PDB file of all heavy atoms in Angstrom:
ATOM      1  N   VAL A  99     -63.705 132.770  61.784  1.00  0.00           N
ATOM      2  CA  VAL A  99     -64.427 132.433  63.016  1.00  0.00           C
ATOM      3  C   VAL A  99     -64.847 133.701  63.756  1.00  0.00           C
ATOM      4  O   VAL A  99     -65.981 133.816  64.239  1.00  0.00           O
ATOM      5  CB  VAL A  99     -63.567 131.530  63.923  1.00  0.00           C
ATOM      6  CG1 VAL A  99     -64.235 131.335  65.286  1.00  0.00           C
ATOM      7  CG2 VAL A  99     -63.357 130.169  63.258  1.00  0.00           C
ATOM      8  N   HIS A 100     -63.957 134.687  63.848  1.00  0.00           N
ATOM      9  CA  HIS A 100     -64.308 135.941  64.520  1.00  0.00           C
ATOM     10  C   HIS A 100     -65.445 136.657  63.796  1.00  0.00           C
ATOM     11  O   HIS A 100     -66.331 137.247  64.443  1.00  0.00           O
ATOM     12  CB  HIS A 100     -63.091 136.860  64.600  1.00  0.00           C
ATOM     13  CG  HIS A 100     -62.061 136.421  65.600  1.00  0.00           C
ATOM     14  ND1 HIS A 100     -62.385 136.036  66.877  1.00  0.00           N
ATOM     15  CD2 HIS A 100     -60.699 136.313  65.494  1.00  0.00           C
ATOM     16  CE1 HIS A 100     -61.286 135.709  67.537  1.00  0.00           C
ATOM     17  NE2 HIS A 100     -60.259 135.859  66.717  1.00  0.00           N
ATOM     18  N   LEU A 101     -65.445 136.624  62.475  1.00  0.00           N
ATOM     19  CA  LEU A 101     -66.546 137.224  61.723  1.00  0.00           C
ATOM     20  C   LEU A 101     -67.867 136.529  62.051  1.00  0.00           C
ATOM     21  O   LEU A 101     -68.902 137.188  62.214  1.00  0.00           O
ATOM     22  CB  LEU A 101     -66.270 137.152  60.221  1.00  0.00           C
ATOM     23  CG  LEU A 101     -65.327 138.220  59.655  1.00  0.00           C
ATOM     24  CD1 LEU A 101     -64.927 137.861  58.227  1.00  0.00           C
ATOM     25  CD2 LEU A 101     -65.986 139.595  59.688  1.00  0.00           C
ATOM     26  N   ALA A 102     -67.822 135.210  62.139  1.00  0.00           N
ATOM     27  CA  ALA A 102     -69.037 134.460  62.454  1.00  0.00           C
ATOM     28  C   ALA A 102     -69.558 134.826  63.842  1.00  0.00           C
ATOM     29  O   ALA A 102     -70.767 134.804  64.090  1.00  0.00           O
ATOM     30  CB  ALA A 102     -68.754 132.954  62.379  1.00  0.00           C
ATOM     31  N   ARG A 103     -68.643 135.185  64.730  1.00  0.00           N
ATOM     32  CA  ARG A 103     -69.025 135.593  66.087  1.00  0.00           C
ATOM     33  C   ARG A 103     -69.333 137.087  66.178  1.00  0.00           C
ATOM     34  O   ARG A 103     -69.625 137.590  67.252  1.00  0.00           O
ATOM     35  CB  ARG A 103     -67.887 135.243  67.056  1.00  0.00           C
ATOM     36  CG  ARG A 103     -67.744 133.756  67.340  1.00  0.00           C
ATOM     37  CD  ARG A 103     -66.512 133.485  68.182  1.00  0.00           C
ATOM     38  NE  ARG A 103     -66.556 132.145  68.779  1.00  0.00           N
ATOM     39  CZ  ARG A 103     -65.525 131.561  69.371  1.00  0.00           C
ATOM     40  NH1 ARG A 103     -64.352 132.203  69.434  1.00  0.00           N
ATOM     41  NH2 ARG A 103     -65.634 130.360  69.898  1.00  0.00           N
ATOM     42  N   ARG A 104     -69.188 137.782  65.065  1.00  0.00           N
ATOM     43  CA  ARG A 104     -69.378 139.231  64.993  1.00  0.00           C
ATOM     44  C   ARG A 104     -68.366 139.976  65.870  1.00  0.00           C
ATOM     45  O   ARG A 104     -68.642 141.064  66.380  1.00  0.00           O
ATOM     46  CB  ARG A 104     -70.811 139.621  65.369  1.00  0.00           C
ATOM     47  CG  ARG A 104     -71.839 139.024  64.418  1.00  0.00           C
ATOM     48  CD  ARG A 104     -73.234 139.502  64.715  1.00  0.00           C
ATOM     49  NE  ARG A 104     -74.196 138.933  63.785  1.00  0.00           N
ATOM     50  CZ  ARG A 104     -75.492 139.184  63.780  1.00  0.00           C
ATOM     51  NH1 ARG A 104     -76.009 140.018  64.691  1.00  0.00           N
ATOM     52  NH2 ARG A 104     -76.294 138.617  62.903  1.00  0.00           N
ATOM     53  N   GLN A 105     -67.205 139.380  66.004  1.00  0.00           N
ATOM     54  CA  GLN A 105     -66.092 140.019  66.717  1.00  0.00           C
ATOM     55  C   GLN A 105     -65.235 140.729  65.666  1.00  0.00           C
ATOM     56  O   GLN A 105     -64.167 140.269  65.283  1.00  0.00           O
ATOM     57  CB  GLN A 105     -65.290 138.967  67.483  1.00  0.00           C
ATOM     58  CG  GLN A 105     -66.105 138.253  68.557  1.00  0.00           C
ATOM     59  CD  GLN A 105     -65.379 137.062  69.163  1.00  0.00           C
ATOM     60  OE1 GLN A 105     -64.576 136.397  68.492  1.00  0.00           O
ATOM     61  NE2 GLN A 105     -65.642 136.779  70.419  1.00  0.00           N
ATOM     62  N   TYR A 106     -65.753 141.859  65.212  1.00  0.00           N
ATOM     63  CA  TYR A 106     -65.174 142.484  64.024  1.00  0.00           C
ATOM     64  C   TYR A 106     -63.769 143.036  64.239  1.00  0.00           C
ATOM     65  O   TYR A 106     -62.939 142.992  63.330  1.00  0.00           O
ATOM     66  CB  TYR A 106     -66.114 143.584  63.528  1.00  0.00           C
ATOM     67  CG  TYR A 106     -67.469 143.052  63.119  1.00  0.00           C
ATOM     68  CD1 TYR A 106     -68.633 143.470  63.761  1.00  0.00           C
ATOM     69  CD2 TYR A 106     -67.578 142.099  62.106  1.00  0.00           C
ATOM     70  CE1 TYR A 106     -69.866 142.972  63.394  1.00  0.00           C
ATOM     71  CE2 TYR A 106     -68.817 141.590  61.734  1.00  0.00           C
ATOM     72  CZ  TYR A 106     -69.953 142.029  62.384  1.00  0.00           C
ATOM     73  OH  TYR A 106     -71.181 141.519  62.027  1.00  0.00           O
ATOM     74  N   ARG A 107     -63.482 143.544  65.414  1.00  0.00           N
ATOM     75  CA  ARG A 107     -62.137 144.064  65.666  1.00  0.00           C
ATOM     76  C   ARG A 107     -61.110 142.932  65.606  1.00  0.00           C
ATOM     77  O   ARG A 107     -60.056 143.075  64.971  1.00  0.00           O
ATOM     78  CB  ARG A 107     -62.074 144.748  67.034  1.00  0.00           C
ATOM     79  CG  ARG A 107     -60.701 145.350  67.359  1.00  0.00           C
ATOM     80  CD  ARG A 107     -60.693 145.970  68.752  1.00  0.00           C
ATOM     81  NE  ARG A 107     -60.964 144.989  69.790  1.00  0.00           N
ATOM     82  CZ  ARG A 107     -60.046 144.156  70.279  1.00  0.00           C
ATOM     83  NH1 ARG A 107     -58.808 144.175  69.809  1.00  0.00           N
ATOM     84  NH2 ARG A 107     -60.368 143.298  71.228  1.00  0.00           N
ATOM     85  N   LEU A 108     -61.422 141.820  66.256  1.00  0.00           N
ATOM     86  CA  LEU A 108     -60.511 140.672  66.233  1.00  0.00           C
ATOM     87  C   LEU A 108     -60.404 140.096  64.821  1.00  0.00           C
ATOM     88  O   LEU A 108     -59.318 139.688  64.385  1.00  0.00           O
ATOM     89  CB  LEU A 108     -60.995 139.601  67.213  1.00  0.00           C
ATOM     90  CG  LEU A 108     -60.929 139.976  68.698  1.00  0.00           C
ATOM     91  CD1 LEU A 108     -61.603 138.889  69.543  1.00  0.00           C
ATOM     92  CD2 LEU A 108     -59.488 140.179  69.140  1.00  0.00           C
ATOM     93  N   ALA A 109     -61.521 140.054  64.125  1.00  0.00           N
ATOM     94  CA  ALA A 109     -61.522 139.529  62.756  1.00  0.00           C
ATOM     95  C   ALA A 109     -60.637 140.377  61.858  1.00  0.00           C
ATOM     96  O   ALA A 109     -59.836 139.857  61.062  1.00  0.00           O
ATOM     97  CB  ALA A 109     -62.944 139.491  62.204  1.00  0.00           C
ATOM     98  N   ARG A 110     -60.765 141.687  62.000  1.00  0.00           N
ATOM     99  CA  ARG A 110     -59.961 142.578  61.155  1.00  0.00           C
ATOM    100  C   ARG A 110     -58.475 142.434  61.459  1.00  0.00           C
ATOM    101  O   ARG A 110     -57.643 142.401  60.541  1.00  0.00           O
ATOM    102  CB  ARG A 110     -60.418 144.020  61.373  1.00  0.00           C
ATOM    103  CG  ARG A 110     -59.725 145.022  60.451  1.00  0.00           C
ATOM    104  CD  ARG A 110     -60.384 146.370  60.603  1.00  0.00           C
ATOM    105  NE  ARG A 110     -59.671 147.416  59.894  1.00  0.00           N
ATOM    106  CZ  ARG A 110     -60.044 148.694  59.897  1.00  0.00           C
ATOM    107  NH1 ARG A 110     -61.139 149.062  60.571  1.00  0.00           N
ATOM    108  NH2 ARG A 110     -59.354 149.599  59.234  1.00  0.00           N
ATOM    109  N   SER A 111     -58.148 142.338  62.728  1.00  0.00           N
ATOM    110  CA  SER A 111     -56.748 142.180  63.112  1.00  0.00           C
ATOM    111  C   SER A 111     -56.164 140.904  62.526  1.00  0.00           C
ATOM    112  O   SER A 111     -55.060 140.912  61.955  1.00  0.00           O
ATOM    113  CB  SER A 111     -56.627 142.160  64.642  1.00  0.00           C
ATOM    114  OG  SER A 111     -55.284 141.939  65.030  1.00  0.00           O
TER     115      SER A 111
END
Side-chain angles (χ1 to χ4, degrees):
V99 172
H100 287 313
L101 280 169
R103 287 174 164 168
R104 298 185 179 181
Q105 298 171 329
Y106 298 119
R107 181 182 61 81
L108 293 173
R110 185 172 172 181
S111 177

